[in-house]
Amino acid sequence: MKTRAPLLLGEPLPVELMNTIWADRDGVYDSLAEPGGTEAWLRAVATRVDLTAGDGPADLLAEDTEHLARPLARLRDALRVLAAEVTGDPRPTASPTAEFDAAVATVNEAAGAVPRWSVLAWVAGASPTRLTRSGGPTAAAVISAIAEEAIAVFAHGDRLRLRACLAPGCVRYFVKDHPRREWCSPACGNRVRAARHYQRHRHSPV
């Protein structure tokens, strides 16, 4: 099973979650609302979460994720509200969570839904490492970890690099990781350049 959500390699996980709302020339899609979409997305990102719980990604079973579709989508919608606030997003892509204060509360609730703690892993003769343990089902712990990462993004300087992709028809967000980066993906950049080329030449004499 694969998720149709465009996983933008290198984006923070909260941004990846925001981008489970995406669009193409035929319309806007919600990958989490598709059959099996929540499980597929969680499986796709599980190895990127700083978390050790249960059996890890293999523990993300359908029976664990089915009831988490709504909480994950609610967190996603809240993050999009916060992202729209930070970026001054002019696009008509408002999420169902309309109130800013409610969005903040949703993120905080998700972050605190499952207990998480650090443990020291250290075998004699090897280098020590820090692991994050969690109680509760693995899938719920992953959602909590993503909410925790979102708090870190919005509470620190990373939020100042967050951008709404203003390519025609796009509804995604991205972190501006290069001074010249203006779009979420090369495909969006190509679409903008093609549109500009068309506008320049549409009135040119044949």
Side-chain angles (χ1 to χ4, degrees):
M1 181 183 298
K2 294 183 179 179
T3 175
R4 289 207 301 152
L7 298 176
L8 305 179
L9 190 62
E11 298 291 354
L13 275 179
V15 180
E16 305 282 28
L17 178 57
M18 294 179 210
N19 291 338
T20 57
I21 295 286
W22 56 284
D24 62 19
R25 66 183 63 186
D26 296 320
V28 179
Y29 304 92
D30 181 349
S31 292
L32 301 182
E34 298 174 352
T38 298
E39 180 189 359
W41 189 82
L42 286 171
R43 284 182 181 275
V45 303
T47 57
R48 297 173 55 186
V49 178
D50 176 24
L51 185 68
T52 301
D55 295 324
D59 205 32
L60 289 171
L61 305 176
E63 55 265 35
D64 292 329
T65 57
E66 183 177 353
H67 69 284
L68 290 170
R70 188 170 298 176
L72 185 62
R74 188 164 58 244
L75 174 61
R76 186 267 317 278
D77 294 340
L79 293 179
R80 288 182 66 88
V81 170
L82 302 185
E85 174 73 17
V86 167
T87 61
D89 190 352
R91 304 172 302 181
T93 56
S95 296
T97 305
E99 297 294 331
F100 180 81
D101 290 345
V104 173
T106 295
V107 174
N108 290 336
E109 179 183 355
V114 176
R116 301 170 66 237
W117 63 93
S118 297
V119 296
L120 181 65
W122 198 350
V123 177
S127 298
T129 58
R130 174 185 174 274
L131 299 176
T132 303
R133 298 283 187 185
S134 175
T138 302
V142 169
I143 293 176
S144 177
I146 294 171
E148 185 75 29
E149 186 173 341
I151 292 173
V153 168
F154 285 113
H156 297 95
D158 280 352
R159 74 180 182 279
L160 302 179
R161 297 190 294 123
L162 190 62
R163 298 288 187 274
C165 183
L166 301 182
C170 189
V171 296
R172 301 179 203 164
Y173 291 95
F174 67 96
V175 172
K176 188 178 178 71
D177 54 5
H178 188 279
R180 297 182 63 184
R181 185 180 181 188
E182 296 297 335
W183 321 108
C184 70
S185 66
C188 274
N190 291 338
R191 200 158 58 245
V192 170
R193 284 187 285 273
R196 288 173 178 170
H197 177 81
Y198 173 77
Q199 288 297 327
R200 282 196 302 268
H201 295 282
R202 62 180 300 190
H203 299 304
S204 299
V206 178

